[in-house]
Amino acid sequence: MATLKFTNGYWLTRKEYDVNSPAEAFEAEKDGKTLNVYAPYKRINTRGDELNLGMSTIKLTSPVENVIGVKLTHFDQDTKGPSYELNNLDPDVNIDVTDKKASLTSGDLTVSLPLRQQFDMEFTANGKVITASRNKAQGEILNHDTNVHYMREQLSVGVEDKIYGLGERFGNFIKNGQEVKITNQDGGTASEQSYKNIPFYLTDAGYGVFVDEPQTVDFEVTSENVDRVQFSSEGESLQYYVIYGPTPQEILHRYTELTGRMQLPPAWSFGLWLTTSFTTDYSEKTVLKFIDGMKDHNIPLDVFHFDCFWQKGFEWSNMEWDRDEFPDPEGLIKKIHDRGIKVCVWINPYIAQKGKMFEEGKKNGYFIKRENGNLWQWDLWQAGNAFVDFTNPDAVKWYKSKLKALLDMGVDCFKTDFGERIPVEDAVFFDGSDPKREHNYYTLQYNKAVFDTIEENKGKGEAVVFARSATVGSQKYPLHWGGDALSNFKNMADTLHGGLSFLSSGFAFWSHDIGGFEDGPDTPTPDLYKRWTQFGLLSSHSRYHGSNVYRVPWNFDDEAVDNTRKFVNLKLSLMPYLYTQAAHDTTYGNPLMRPMWFNFTEDRTAHTLDNQYMFGTQLLVAPVFNPEGHVNFYLPAGKWTSIINDDETYDITDGKWISKDYGELDLPVLARDNTILLRNPKAVHADYDFTKDLDINLYDMHEGSTSVAVVDQKGQDTGKVTVDRSGNQLTVTTTGLTGSATIYVHENGKVTKAALNGTEATITL
């Protein structure tokens, strides 16, 4: 998994490589809204210098305002698919070419190059240089031992700049100093590998960079060259985009404008998901026992998930129920639906040799093949696995027909597992796609097929998958979970780091296996189970899952039952806030869970935090990552009040670290000042009328007017609450709310309760 390195220290090139870099921008020309720059690999002083010399063509464009595309080309060769589907909004640009300089401006972002001088390409925003491709940063590179060609770029980094993103990565949240290989792998959550590799990084210097290459891209993040972020890939060209914000919210907004807008999952998906776990024994009797057990313990449940063994062993994923354990699946699904619970089943795109689907797929040419015409098979995961070839339109229709049959039975959604171990060597795709480009791209084709099938059958806004793998554009097909975590506190924290990294990479929704997946010697202890439950139910989506141990809370201890009930009810009560935040974030291209620095860009300490997060714009969550219940968390300046314990309040002047112990049913969940938090503590499912019978919680409201919207179950703005403060008097005005509403004013550690009479109330403190 080593990344590509081309240099031997700063001065020398590694012996196997020949590196050519543009020495100057020799000529530039405007072509409509494109600026073409020609950059030879040595300075041109005489006509003779133009002979026997290579050069890069640098094509500068702008598909979205404040986004500049850069394509570096050595030899202009046709590329076999696939390619990411990008949106071109065709903004106005200003291109200026003089004898001394060439530039392209889109919005507030400008790229400029001096002509006939030492090569330099600067990106400026509002007159300030944000990054640059300096002399010898770009490279046209040949490995003369293997005859493989690469293209390289290096973009400068400022003294205090921090780099985030690059997909779901379980190491340090800040990527400075790291080597990152963008290639999807099934490596668990305790390694350098990742299920979700996104060639996009975000900086706290006001910009992001997206490398538009679906094949493997190697990033050296201030590592090989400590002053620069280097990215390189095999081939004769390299396309990337510099995206100006300057806020992280604006950067992600423009990134998703370019690569595809997020979609809002249905409201019911935000409730608790319970699974059979993986290798446990389960049948209709077991499933109903668990579902009814949750009801008996007064724990609300929204989704039940059947993992792999809803099908017979050795036959995954043939889309057929194991009739020995589930003789009447339609009847079982109806029983679950009658209890008010949705049904999810596990699938993957690998088809085992033992099963009807394999024979159908083989006969009709629906699988990836080898160059000799045989199927590409191996025994990893299931015996004789073949891979559905989603470049074949008929294979897609066939696969979707199998899903539709399950949807017709009553299945509501699918857990789309795997999609990472897609063959590259000796692999042939139906449409002739380059296997090296297909490897990462495959997950997009797979999850799109599943998502589209659900949407076609259930209706717009009702589709959701529970996916493990992802690539650029996968944000259009939510949602994703973190993969196979280890059942220990350290990997629980690693899981959060991976989630924050992923959510900084253009994704809105994310979940993880509550309790950790890999049991083995690390079977979750009751304290780990309880702490992970809190973290899980304070994530955008919440699912219990494990390998060989059932994850029902009564298997741990009585306090685990109380803990689960408490935090399920907390999350359900918060749905008017959460779904409104989610709907608005999705529209703008932002995550529901987000790193602290997103909301506190002026607080430099917040830029380093990765063991806590903001849940929407108004709530801070700091999970407990140890059995002692000890938490060190940081509060930016402002007033903070616990939404769990009203007597936990903080008035912070300049930002402060807090060190505190929490009981097993408690953790820091704090509302910031000037928060209007809408809740319904009587909710029993995640999908309900978010405008009805609300508690209106007001936290240290500021002088003047503050308002929040509330959405309906489809994510459309329906109601509004406005608070006008003048001194000690608060006037609360509402529109679009129904039923009764109670107002709770939280201020200086005290709670004042008032009723809403009609649509307005005045409270004097």
Side-chain angles (χ1 to χ4, degrees), residues 204-400:
D204 61 359
Y207 70 95
V209 175
F210 162 49
V211 181
D212 179 21
E213 300 291 348
Q215 72 272 12
T216 298
V217 180
D218 290 89
F219 282 85
E220 293 283 343
V221 187
T222 66
S223 45
E224 184 174 1
N225 184 315
V226 299
D227 293 339
R228 299 171 177 175
V229 174
Q230 172 178 299
F231 44 92
S232 58
S233 191
E234 183 178 333
E236 295 281 354
S237 65
L238 182 68
Q239 172 79 62
Y240 69 92
Y241 296 86
V242 174
I243 305 169
Y244 178 61
T247 68
Q249 290 87 346
E250 290 170 302
I251 297 167
L252 291 177
H253 169 61
R254 290 173 181 129
Y255 169 77
T256 54
E257 278 191 308
L258 178 63
T259 61
R261 293 192 178 276
M262 303 165 173
Q263 293 203 50
L264 178 68
W268 56 260
S269 71
F270 285 70
L272 179 62
W273 299 45
L274 178 66
T275 83
T276 57
S277 291
F278 174 35
T279 60
T280 53
D281 292 326
Y282 47 91
S283 61
E284 177 172 331
K285 180 179 178 181
T286 313
V287 168
L288 292 178
K289 180 178 72 173
F290 287 156
I291 293 173
D292 292 339
M294 297 293 277
K295 182 178 180 180
D296 292 342
H297 289 89
N298 295 313
I299 300 172
L301 183 65
D302 272 290
V303 185
F304 190 85
H305 167 70
F306 292 82
D307 215 55
C308 310
F309 280 100
W310 68 274
Q311 305 161 101
K312 286 188 175 182
F314 291 112
E315 295 186 11
W316 304 340
S317 193
N318 69 357
M319 311 290 191
E320 293 187 359
W321 289 84
D322 180 350
R323 297 283 176 158
D324 293 334
E325 300 294 342
F326 303 101
D328 180 18
E330 294 95 337
L332 174 57
I333 293 171
K334 184 178 185 304
K335 291 175 184 177
I336 296 173
H337 282 168
D338 288 345
R339 289 162 168 82
I341 297 166
K342 302 287 186 180
V343 173
C344 174
V345 298
W346 175 96
I347 60 171
N348 77 6
Y350 312 158
I351 310 301
Q353 187 168 299
K354 181 181 182 292
K356 296 178 183 177
M357 272 190 72
F358 180 87
E359 290 302 321
E360 291 179 27
K362 178 183 178 183
K363 178 181 178 181
N364 292 289
Y366 295 156
F367 298 138
I368 298 169
K369 295 182 179 180
R370 293 185 181 272
E371 292 177 358
N372 63 9
N374 289 332
L375 299 185
W376 209 109
Q377 289 179 268
W378 62 7
D379 290 329
L380 192 61
W381 182 241
Q382 290 276 279
N385 263 344
F387 301 80
V388 176
D389 186 347
F390 289 100
T391 73
N392 183 341
D394 290 336
V396 174
K397 292 178 184 177
W398 170 72
Y399 194 75
K400 292 175 71 173

Side-chain angles (χ1 to χ4, degrees), residues 57-92:
T57 300
I58 304 173
K59 182 179 180 180
L60 302 171
T61 57
S62 179
V64 174
E65 186 175 74
N66 281 306
V67 176
I68 291 179
V70 181
K71 186 171 185 179
L72 312 177
T73 301
H74 175 228
F75 291 155
D76 188 359
Q77 299 182 343
D78 293 335
T79 301
K80 293 183 179 179
S83 297
Y84 292 125
E85 295 181 2
L86 304 184
N87 299 314
N88 186 353
L89 305 185
D90 194 28
D92 291 334

Side-chain angles (χ1 to χ4, degrees), residues 55 69 144 170 338 372 405 438 458 501 633 687 697 745:
M55 74 169 152
H144 48 71
F170 302 102
D338 288 345
N372 63 9
E438 264 291 336
K458 300 288 184 180
S501 182
F633 59 99
D687 188 358
N697 291 271
V745 181

